[in-house]
Amino acid sequence: MANPNEVPKYTQLFINNEFVDAVSGKKFPTINPATGKVIAEIAEGDKADVDLAVAAAKKAFHRNSAWRKLSPLERTALIEKLCSLMERDKYILASLETQDNGKPFTSALGDVMFAIMSLKYYAGWTDKFFGETIPGGDFVVQTRKEPIGVAGQIIPWNYPLVMLAWKWAPALAVGCTIVLKPAEQTPLTALHMAALSKEAGFPAGVINVIPGYGPTAGAAISEHHDVQKVAFTGSADIGRIIMQAAAKTNLKRVTLELGGKSPFVVFDDVDVDKAVQLTHDAIFPNQGQTCCAGTRTFVHEKIYEEFVKKSVALAKARKIGNPFETTTTHGPQIDEEMMNKILGYIEIGQKEGAKLQCGGKRAGNVGYFIEPTVFSDVTDKMRIAQEEIFGPVMSILKFSDIEEIIDRANDVEYGLAAGVITNDINKATKFANNVNAGSVWINCYNAVMPQAPFGGFKQSGIGREMGRDGLNNYLETKTITTKIV
Ligand code: NAD
């Protein structure tokens, strides 16, 4: 069960199936955001360690390696074994995640289950990525889908285990090898997963995990000449740096899952109470630290006042506290820096003329908690309606008709997700077809599932993860042409 005192067993780098210290000998602390206290000192990888990990991953990808010689169904069996070990260790994984990230334990447990589902989904794909036979006259023309090679994977702190599963699963399904860097704020579950991968029986070098900081370990991955692909989830600013690094070095393939400022539109033909709950659940879980969160709530003018009042009541009802308590629904932000950034945005919102309806302050003085916050009277050009806050801040805007709302929904730099609540199929379809977003949810929100592609339009990213689309990120297409003589 939940264990607030779970001691992390693994604190070193994981290279070639061994836990080792960093070449530099350096360590960094990982902090519990609910208490501000250090949980453990973690080996701090940088370029020298990334070089070793990439060399191990390259060797494991050699055409004669144990990994490359496995049949597709043997890869399936390894991924499934990993899933069963995660199931066995689910309370350990969730307890480590809650300590490291601060999310309520029940959410952390949900993340473990979602990570398992994502791996299981891709376990079924190992023998289902097909080439084609193409008419070529006197030639036999075929395509083969081949694994790309060593994949670099750089992930954020908001869903550490889920992001790891989204990166590992398609790469392992097609037979790539991996060097993953978890976020410096949340290395613990990635290291436990490294241990489970060894126990599951993945050959040495297939999976390597290098905790460390972005500009050192992260940059070493994105600049490495033997890394053929980098998959990144995080902020748009760092996404740009990763693309530049790829361009300046070996033109490695890049996929980016970045931020969002997603619109969630509520028409006046709906059950207001249900809509209030849906829009609340679109922003506040995970303390607002969700890339696809519905951060711009557009409400039809006819129901606006009632909607604001009820949204405030729900936000006030969230239970802030120790994330290991079963009654807690609202934990801390990830660190002091993010907490201050969010408080800064709340101040900006007030200065810009938005009406602070509730929250707006730090909660307590231990840990990095922020009161669930609701702004009404928000207008499109306010910074809180344009920039990603990544915190528990709901902005409610008013609208009157469908044409207007499509233009306004699209009037931001991002395009990760969007939602609409209405009983009118015409309005829902028109909105879904015209909004610039990688995922559109009708009468639901955050309905993310392993079998459906996920990713962004515009500055929310490049490429799609999950579903069949997600496999392509780790594949090259080879055309083989044979002359019939
Ligand atoms: P971040 O971009 O600062 O960090 C993400 C990762 O990149 C971390 O592992 C970090 O160490 C690494 N990194 C930092 N500098 C680097 C560099 N120079 N080279 C290589 N790697 C580097 O983002 P964050 O603050 O950890 O996460 C929050 C952001 O991530 C938000 O903007 C959020 O919207 C976005 N996000 C997007 C998705 C998505 O699926 N689209 C999912 C989660 C988070």
Side-chain angles (χ1 to χ4, degrees):
M1 293 309 282
N3 180 4
N5 301 314
E6 183 74 46
V7 177
K9 257 200 195 145
Y10 308 103
T11 57
Q12 292 169 291
L13 315 178
F14 185 73
I15 301 176
N16 210 27
N17 268 2
E18 300 300 335
F19 282 100
V20 293
D21 285 331
V23 172
S24 68
K26 280 202 220 162
K27 292 184 178 183
F28 69 101
T30 187
I31 290 168
N32 180 337
T35 62
K37 291 200 177 125
V38 173
I39 309 164
E41 294 286 336
I42 307 294
E44 181 188 329
D46 59 25
K47 185 175 181 314
D49 310 286
V50 167
D51 285 346
L52 292 172
V54 173
K58 190 178 172 188
K59 195 163 163 226
F61 192 73
H62 186 272
R63 63 181 177 282
N64 294 325
S65 71
W67 176 238
R68 296 301 296 284
K69 296 246 176 235
L70 292 182
S71 69
L73 290 181
E74 286 169 327
R75 288 203 304 278
T76 298
L78 281 178
I79 301 172
E80 283 178 346
K81 176 79 187 172
L82 179 62
C83 292
S84 62
L85 296 174
M86 290 168 75
E87 186 83 45
R88 183 196 69 191
D89 284 5
K90 63 184 175 214
Y91 294 123
I92 298 176
L93 284 164
S95 296
L96 291 175
E97 199 82 310
T98 292
Q99 282 187 65
D100 222 10
N101 168 282
K103 65 179 69 195
F105 181 77
T106 44
S107 308
L109 204 52
D111 284 7
V112 178
M113 300 328 280
F114 190 48
I116 293 174
M117 269 169 62
S118 305
L119 281 153
K120 276 194 178 157
Y121 168 76
Y122 277 108
W125 269 111
T126 58
D127 58 355
K128 296 179 189 67
F129 47 97
F130 305 117
E132 293 178 315
T133 308
I134 298 164
D138 283 346
F139 299 89
V140 177
V141 186
Q142 294 168 301
T143 57
R144 256 167 72 81
K145 297 283 182 185
E146 297 185 356
I148 200 163
V150 178
Q153 306 183 324
I154 302 173
I155 58 173
W157 43 260
N158 55 346
Y159 292 91
L161 197 53
V162 172
M163 290 294 107
L164 174 144
W166 282 28
K167 300 283 184 276
W168 281 13
L172 295 172
V174 303
C176 288
T177 58
I178 291 169
V179 177
L180 175 130
K181 190 195 89 62
E184 54 273 28
Q185 296 89 342
T186 52
L188 296 181
T189 46
L191 292 173
H192 195 86
M193 286 294 292
L196 295 187
S197 75
K198 181 173 178 175
E199 188 181 344
F202 282 91
V206 174
I207 290 172
N208 303 273
V209 176
I210 308 290
Y213 290 98
T216 49
I221 291 173
S222 51
E223 289 168 5
H224 207 293
H225 277 266
D226 288 332
V227 171
Q228 298 306 333
K229 185 245 155 21
V230 64
F232 171 78
T233 297
S235 61
D237 286 347
I238 306 298
R240 286 189 177 79
I241 294 175
I242 305 262
M243 276 201 98
Q244 281 169 354
K248 278 188 197 145
T249 54
N250 62 341
L251 286 173
K252 58 179 66 63
R253 283 74 175 118
V254 177
T255 44
L256 305 174
E257 298 280 3
L258 308 173
K261 195 72 195 173
S262 300
F264 198 1
V265 175
V266 185
F267 281 92
D268 58 337
D269 62 344
V270 300
D271 177 324
V272 174
D273 291 323
K274 279 190 190 157
V276 166
Q277 186 70 54
L278 270 177
T279 55
H280 175 92
D281 292 341
I283 168 77
F284 288 108
N286 216 37
Q287 294 68 249
Q289 304 166 134
T290 302
C291 49
C292 54
T295 46
R296 289 182 295 148
T297 311
F298 288 98
V299 178
H300 195 275
E301 58 190 3
K302 281 195 192 148
I303 54 168
Y304 190 83
E305 298 307 327
E306 179 189 1
F307 196 97
V308 169
K309 218 168 108 205
K310 290 181 166 168
S311 298
V312 170
L314 263 194
K316 282 186 174 165
R318 288 190 80 75
K319 176 125 179 14
I320 305 176
N322 176 353
F324 279 100
E325 293 287 337
T326 46
T327 51
T328 295
T329 54
H330 194 86
Q333 308 308 129
I334 188 69
D335 59 20
E336 192 171 2
E337 192 184 329
M338 275 306 294
M339 179 183 75
N340 289 333
K341 185 179 154 199
I342 297 160
L343 291 172
Y345 270 115
I346 293 171
E347 214 179 302
I348 290 167
Q350 288 171 279
K351 281 196 187 134
E352 286 179 321
K355 203 160 160 195
L356 181 67
Q357 293 280 355
C358 68
K361 296 190 301 293
R362 181 176 182 183
N365 53 13
V366 175
Y368 314 120
F369 295 84
I370 294 184
E371 296 170 348
T373 298
V374 176
F375 277 113
S376 68
D377 302 83
V378 178
T379 54
D380 294 344
K381 294 298 169 197
M382 289 179 181
R383 283 183 63 194
I384 58 166
Q386 289 287 326
E387 297 172 24
E388 185 173 54
I389 301 173
F390 226 55
V393 182
M394 181 181 210
S395 295
I396 312 184
L397 304 90
K398 199 185 279 182
F399 79 97
S400 56
D401 81 83
I402 175 85
E403 291 299 334
E404 166 211 342
I405 196 54
I406 292 170
D407 288 337
R408 290 175 62 196
N410 287 336
D411 191 21
V412 287
E413 290 178 340
Y414 294 109
L416 190 57
V420 57
I421 310 178
T422 176
N423 290 314
D424 181 335
I425 186 110
N426 295 309
K427 280 183 185 147
T429 308
K430 191 166 191 177
F431 179 79
N433 287 354
N434 289 288
V435 70
N436 298 327
S439 297
V440 186
W441 291 299
I442 300 174
N443 293 333
C444 59
Y445 204 85
N446 282 338
V448 178
M449 46 194 88
Q451 61 272 38
F454 183 84
F457 280 34
K458 301 197 281 187
Q459 292 189 36
S460 287
I462 296 179
R464 294 291 178 272
E465 291 188 305
M466 307 315 282
R468 188 170 56 188
D469 288 37
L471 287 176
N472 293 330
N473 301 330
Y474 294 94
L475 292 169
E476 286 286 12
T477 301
K478 178 182 280 175
T479 303
I480 302 179
T481 307
T482 310
K483 176 89 171 88
I484 305 166
V485 288

